[in-house]
Amino acid sequence: MKQTKMLVSFAALTMMGSLIAGCSSSGGSAAQTGKDSGTGTAKFEGYPIQTNKTLTYWSEMNANIQSVKPTFAEVPFFQEWQKRTGVKLKFTQPPANQAKEALNVLLASGELPDMMEYSWGKDFPGGPEKAINDGYILKLNDAIDKYAPNLKQYLKDHPEVDKQIKTDNGSYYVFPFIRGDDLLKTYQGPIIRKDWLDELGLPVPVTMDDWYTTLKAFKEKKGIAAPLTFLGVPSALFGLDGGGFIGSYGVIKGYYLDNGKVKYGPMEPGYKEFLTTFRKWYQEGLIDKNVATVDTKTMDSNMTSGRSGASIFNSGAGIGKWQPLLKEKDPKAQLVPAPYPVVNKGDKAKFGQKDFAYVTVGGVAISAQSKNIEEAVRMLDYAYGKEGNLFFNFGIEGTSYKMEGDYPKYTDLIMNNPDKLAPAQALALYARGGYNGPFVQDKRYIEQYLTMPEQKEAIKIWSNTDAEKYTMPPISTSPEESAEFASIMNDIQTLVDEMSLKIILGAEPVESFDKYIAKMKSLKIDRALEIQKGALDRYNKR
């Protein structure tokens, strides 16, 4: 009965999305050698491990791989990883975009694979401590201490990361995905058609008034149908979650810090100001009329067809994808980054997209049922050593990269693929540098992946915010708090999405904002804030 209730709760919760790229230096200096494990089934005298076991691995497949190869077993990276570590793998992969539902079924089956790649720190109901307490995943402290010298050394050398990847109880629960350099923590921001600005005699917009003038000119002087487009799924205003436009008014559509105090943006006066502005923009046709339903495919079409002239998206999947397609139609077309907007000229943006070093997506947990803990740990630990770090980020030397001095340079197989694969697709076949996984990402990946000067400039411009001061760190809650918080926020987020769209679309007046605040109070937003504050206090004491 207990398990049934948990699974029902699990199925009821929603997953939040995320997009990206990252990086780091080598994963510590720990040795790649060791002693006989004494298990009688595997011997560790360095890699490859001497074992005849086959371990099981569950993970959703990255979209860039799936567009080229249907299964993990056919991907050169995963073939080489097994070869290098000496550990054979049998893969199970859920259907695309169905990891949550598939994991629910997997847990209900009672037969868990040795390794499970999932966002345990963010998307498991009750949090990682509950996953440990319920017997799903292993508390990794002892296993890391015994069998993971590379990760252990990395965490010793990087105490700020060590603080982020464990729970308040000090439990390690995954082999983590870590962005190893500030250059990789920012990858998203405003993007605009520079050729249209030049044609209209306008500068790159900086303030919200600049943006209004620019979007109005796109609409009235160029006849653009949807001057500004951004993602509206899987939740309302999803494309602005990183702080774009909403952040101009000193808030975000979520929790943030203000002088050490935890606040919830949608109940603050700044959010009302944002809604007032976007209501006006929508009424004047400056925002895509389909604001509630824009998905990635729609946004791509808007930006590459000329239906839209501005968006907020990634340096790779935005500028990198759209600009070549635009130039095929119009050689003069040019996309450039714009800074995160502010209300007053000269101000520094308070918010903008910037990740912490630890990103919950891509971490790998080991099943509490596994009879192959040492082999699983040693296989995963390979990525955090010098040799494994190069492999995970750059692939196979002589095939996907070659060393130029001490710099791993991607070959034409990646950057100018003979089969016409995009660099993101080609790289995903041979390395994990381009997407999240259990390793430390190397900044030399992004230095090469961003080939256009506009992309490199984007990272500099978008990084120029105070987001680090105001963004909530990766806190964790107790299983009881997590369940209570999820229950509260499920209703709150539904209400906020409804409120935001109704006011922007004109279905309700701006004055109804106060009514929604009262409704949030009745739904226990104050208790949710209390839970977040308690978790923050514990995080700060780690």
Side-chain angles (χ1 to χ4, degrees):
M1 180 64 71
K2 178 181 176 182
Q3 186 183 57
T4 301
K5 288 183 179 180
M6 192 288 296
L7 291 169
V8 170
S9 173
F10 183 89
L13 295 177
T14 57
M15 284 180 70
M16 299 299 291
S18 80
L19 260 229
I20 46 265
C23 108
S24 151
S25 54
S26 69
S29 58
Q32 299 278 356
T33 60
K35 297 181 179 180
D36 189 330
S37 68
T39 63
T41 58
K43 189 174 183 181
F44 186 73
E45 294 179 338
Y47 296 102
I49 298 168
Q50 298 177 40
T51 180
N52 58 5
K53 291 184 175 184
T54 296
L55 275 61
T56 48
Y57 193 103
W58 182 95
S59 175
E60 186 174 13
M61 181 174 269
N62 176 263
N64 284 317
I65 304 176
Q66 202 161 41
S67 64
V68 185
K69 298 287 186 182
T71 66
F72 284 110
E74 298 172 75
V75 177
F77 169 81
F78 289 98
Q79 294 169 351
E80 182 72 11
W81 188 25
Q82 295 173 74
K83 179 181 174 182
R84 289 179 177 224
T85 59
V87 180
K88 295 177 183 177
L89 294 176
K90 180 180 179 181
F91 296 98
T92 302
Q93 61 195 68
N97 301 314
Q98 295 182 38
K100 171 191 163 188
E101 294 81 3
L103 184 68
N104 189 17
V105 173
L106 185 71
L107 297 180
S109 74
E111 296 181 8
L112 305 184
D114 294 295
M115 292 172 272
M116 295 173 283
E117 185 172 326
Y118 187 69
S119 182
W120 296 96
K122 179 182 178 182
D123 292 324
F124 184 81
E129 282 289 355
K130 181 167 177 57
I132 291 171
N133 293 341
D134 287 351
Y136 293 130
I137 66 174
L138 184 71
K139 180 177 177 177
L140 293 171
N141 298 51
D142 290 343
I144 290 173
D145 192 53
K146 291 178 182 177
Y147 309 127
N150 295 313
L151 178 58
K152 184 177 178 179
Q153 184 65 46
Y154 184 87
L155 297 178
K156 181 179 179 181
D157 294 341
H158 299 82
E160 76 288 353
V161 176
D162 182 64
K163 180 178 179 178
Q164 294 171 28
I165 71 165
K166 57 191 176 186
T167 68
D168 292 333
N169 290 343
S171 301
Y172 297 109
Y173 54 96
V174 290
F175 278 77
F177 170 65
I178 301 166
R179 301 192 190 281
D181 191 275
D182 272 354
L183 184 66
L184 294 165
K185 295 176 183 177
T186 297
Y187 50 81
Q188 188 180 92
I191 301 167
I192 197 162
R193 285 287 294 267
K194 178 69 160 55
D195 54 312
W196 291 0
L197 294 176
D198 292 343
E199 178 186 336
L200 296 166
L202 294 169
V204 174
V206 174
T207 67
M208 289 296 284
D209 285 343
D210 292 342
W211 273 95
Y212 176 72
T213 299
T214 299
L215 296 175
K216 201 167 180 64
F218 284 180
K219 180 73 174 179
E220 296 178 352
K221 296 182 180 179
K222 286 197 63 66
I224 303 306
L228 176 63
T229 187
F230 52 85
L231 292 175
V233 293
S235 58
L237 308 176
F238 179 72
L240 308 186
D241 278 356
F245 298 103
I246 302 176
S248 304
Y249 300 98
V251 300
I252 58 172
K253 188 172 171 267
Y255 291 94
Y256 66 96
L257 295 177
D258 188 2
N259 293 319
K261 184 178 180 181
V262 180
K263 291 188 175 181
Y264 184 61
M267 64 185 298
E268 295 295 323
Y271 198 77
K272 183 178 182 180
E273 293 181 65
F274 158 73
L275 293 177
T276 302
T277 298
F278 261 48
R279 178 189 180 91
K280 175 182 172 66
W281 288 11
Y282 185 84
Q283 288 175 335
E284 297 186 20
L286 309 186
I287 302 172
D288 192 335
K289 66 179 181 180
N290 303 312
V291 62
T293 59
V294 175
D295 58 13
T296 305
K297 185 177 180 180
T298 303
M299 186 170 63
D300 287 347
S301 176
N302 285 347
M303 290 299 294
T304 57
S305 68
R307 185 173 183 269
S308 299
S311 187
I312 184 161
F313 203 45
N314 300 348
S315 56
I319 295 175
K321 179 191 287 186
W322 299 335
Q323 183 135 303
L325 295 173
L326 279 170
K327 284 188 174 292
E328 286 180 7
K329 303 173 184 176
D330 180 1
K332 295 181 181 179
Q334 184 186 17
L335 293 170
V336 297
Y340 276 91
V342 293
V343 171
N344 301 309
K345 192 169 184 177
D347 287 352
K348 188 174 183 180
K350 187 174 179 178
F351 292 102
Q353 181 275 315
K354 186 168 187 178
D355 283 348
F356 283 86
Y358 171 51
V359 181
T360 62
V361 178
V364 176
I366 295 175
S367 165
Q369 298 178 4
S370 176
K371 294 181 172 62
N372 307 302
I373 291 171
E374 178 179 351
E375 291 84 358
V377 170
R378 292 201 185 279
M379 183 180 204
L380 292 166
D381 189 54
Y382 175 76
Y384 301 91
K386 184 176 180 180
E387 181 183 298
N389 180 262
L390 277 172
F391 170 59
F392 266 70
N393 282 283
F394 303 102
I396 303 168
E397 186 172 5
T399 301
S400 57
Y401 79 95
K402 59 182 179 180
M403 295 300 295
E404 294 187 357
D406 61 354
Y407 196 96
K409 187 79 178 252
Y410 290 125
T411 63
D412 281 346
L413 179 67
I414 305 302
M415 304 307 295
N416 297 288
N417 187 267
D419 295 325
K420 306 299 182 184
L421 297 179
Q425 293 172 306
L427 180 59
L429 288 178
Y430 293 92
R432 292 200 69 161
Y435 68 102
N436 303 352
F439 70 108
V440 181
Q441 286 190 300
D442 190 312
K443 73 174 182 178
R444 294 172 295 184
Y445 139 74
I446 203 72
E447 290 171 349
Q448 300 173 70
Y449 179 74
L450 300 182
T451 58
M452 303 173 189
E454 294 89 350
Q455 291 175 297
K456 295 177 181 179
E457 184 67 15
I459 301 304
K460 296 178 185 177
I461 290 174
W462 296 338
S463 297
N464 187 28
T465 70
D466 281 332
E468 206 159 10
K469 295 180 184 178
Y470 299 102
T471 303
M472 287 283 286
I475 59 174
S476 64
T477 52
S478 70
E480 295 76 19
E481 287 175 331
S482 182
E484 183 182 6
F485 182 77
S487 176
I488 294 171
M489 291 309 301
N490 192 42
D491 293 335
I492 294 287
Q493 287 167 352
T494 299
L495 179 70
V496 169
D497 286 349
E498 175 187 298
M499 168 188 76
S500 300
L501 288 177
K502 282 186 174 180
I503 292 178
I504 289 172
L505 300 183
E508 287 200 24
V510 174
E511 289 72 26
S512 67
F513 180 82
D514 296 334
K515 175 185 70 176
Y516 279 102
I517 300 304
K519 180 65 173 174
M520 284 187 220
K521 294 278 189 180
S522 71
L523 292 174
K524 301 182 180 179
I525 186 63
D526 289 335
R527 172 56 183 155
L529 282 161
E530 184 181 309
I531 291 171
Q532 291 284 284
K533 177 63 167 62
L536 177 67
D537 290 342
R538 294 192 300 271
Y539 176 86
N540 290 332
K541 292 176 182 177
R542 288 182 188 174

